[in-house]
Amino acid sequence: MTTHATNAPGNASESIDKHRIVSRDEWLAERRLLLAREKELTRLRDQLAAQRRALPWVRVERNYIFGTPDGQRSLADLFDGRSQLLVQHFMLAPGWEQGCPSCSFMADHTDGMLVHLAHREVTLVAVSRAELPEIERFRQRMGWRFNWVSSNGSSFNYDFRVSFTPEEVSRGNLDYNYGHWPYSYEEWPGISAFLKNEAGEIFHTYSTYGRGVEAMMGTYSMLDLVPKGRDEKDVEHKMEWVRHHDRYEPTATRKTKGSSVAELFATFNGGCCH
């Protein structure tokens, strides 16, 4: 028999208030049907991962140099003795007061992964165009331990299509995420993968942008398991709820400060993209 929950606590949405309530046997029957779909998704995810690994590689010909706390380092140095490198393209441009909240949300998941990635021959670093003192100031504020280097002065960010010149921005249509991107700002997020062989050659093997960067957002995977899900507003910038982890207000008093892409950028770049 199906009934509906009443008197749901807190500020539950209408869908929570009126959700179906069934017997345990009815629930198990529907759960088994959903499990079959979940297994389909798991198998599809495995197939996509295999296709990703099967992509051809591109040899990295340029000698990119990065600013690090230990001095200038090449792309090869960033592998830190391992054969595989993951780069978080972190949105922090020169002169910005703080990093992108969404990129920071990604980075909040990084430190706990590092030891496990290292045992699978993977090094993970963040790369931004900001100068190293700007990076270090924000990294210290956020309490992160992962390596975060500066690509300032190199074409690295531009070559991997996460940073854009003023001329590109002025055209109002960026070449981002393997197509035309209507939001014209100088920085966008991404994740790139590289391999270094025994001869020291470096290859670009994969990059993902847009919603692909959710691969680093483990919190979303947890939210997808609970009744209210991600519970995001139907607005242009779905992550309007995300704050730097040291800037959240108590849930009962927090107020949304903007929901458009333009308002998002205004919160952390001091207007430098306008």
Side-chain angles (χ1 to χ4, degrees), residues 158 163-171 174 186:
Y158 299 102
S163 294
F164 300 90
T165 66
E167 291 74 23
E168 289 175 308
V169 171
S170 68
R171 288 199 292 268
L174 302 179
E186 61 180 324

Side-chain angles (χ1 to χ4, degrees), residues 105-123:
F105 181 68
M106 294 167 63
D108 280 336
H109 298 81
T110 298
D111 282 338
M113 295 191 291
L114 295 178
V115 64
H116 305 290
L117 289 171
H119 279 80
R120 303 311 298 165
E121 278 290 303
V122 179
T123 297

Side-chain angles (χ1 to χ4, degrees), residues 7 37 79 87 152 173:
N7 299 321
R37 296 293 309 279
F79 282 77
V87 168
N152 192 273
N173 201 318

